[in-house]
């Protein structure tokens, strides 16, 4: 397990990168996974990564597992790379915005 300072930094970085609430993310996962004829059960909607981010948002820092920490690191890295100022504006790239929202980051949210 990570030491306390590393865990604190990761916790803050993760919550800075994930700017959607758990309710917003759950709603997005349901919408993004809905098809014309079928919808998954609400608690199973979305990608495994999106579901894991949602589960992390609903946990206390003391309840995190090593698997959670790995997902948190990956989310922080992915959001950082995808929102880098060198990249094109995310607002103009719907696919990229939707991928980020699946990880709990809405680039259009202030």
């Amino acid at each position: 397990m990570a030491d306390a300072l590393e865990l604190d930094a990761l916790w803050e970085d993760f919550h800075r990168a994930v700017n959607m609430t758990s309710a917003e993310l759950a709603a997005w996962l349901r919408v993004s996974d809905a098809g014309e004829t079928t919808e998954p059960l609400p608690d199973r909607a979305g990608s495994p990564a999106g579901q894991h981010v949602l589960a992390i948002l609903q946990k206390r820092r003391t309840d995190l597992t090593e698997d959670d920490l790995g997902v948190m690191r990956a989310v922080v890295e992915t959001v950082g790379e995808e929102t880098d100022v060198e990249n094109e504006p995310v607002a103009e790239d719907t696919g990229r915005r939707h991928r980020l929202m699946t990880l709990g980051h809405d680039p259009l949210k202030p």
Side-chain angles (χ1 to χ4, degrees), residues 59-110:
K59 287 185 176 186
R60 295 176 303 178
R61 189 180 327 200
T62 56
D63 296 331
L64 297 172
T65 65
E66 283 296 327
D67 195 33
D68 294 336
L69 298 179
V71 169
M72 291 169 71
R73 287 183 190 101
V75 167
V76 168
E77 182 178 324
T78 301
V79 169
E81 289 172 356
E82 289 286 330
T83 59
D84 186 5
V85 293
E86 300 290 321
N87 290 327
E88 297 175 21
V90 179
E92 297 173 10
D93 186 346
T94 303
R96 185 169 16 152
R97 178 177 182 232
H98 289 178
R99 284 191 306 278
L100 286 167
M101 288 175 68
T102 298
L103 296 177
H105 178 81
D106 184 350
L108 300 184
K109 188 173 180 180

Side-chain angles (χ1 to χ4, degrees), residues 20-58:
M20 296 170 71
T21 66
S22 59
E24 290 169 331
L25 178 56
W28 168 251
L29 293 175
R30 284 191 304 273
V31 167
S32 68
D33 216 20
E36 284 187 33
T37 59
T38 63
E39 286 188 41
L41 296 173
D43 61 339
R44 294 190 187 136
S47 69
Q51 283 295 317
H52 202 146
V53 170
L54 182 60
I56 292 168
L57 288 175
Q58 297 168 340

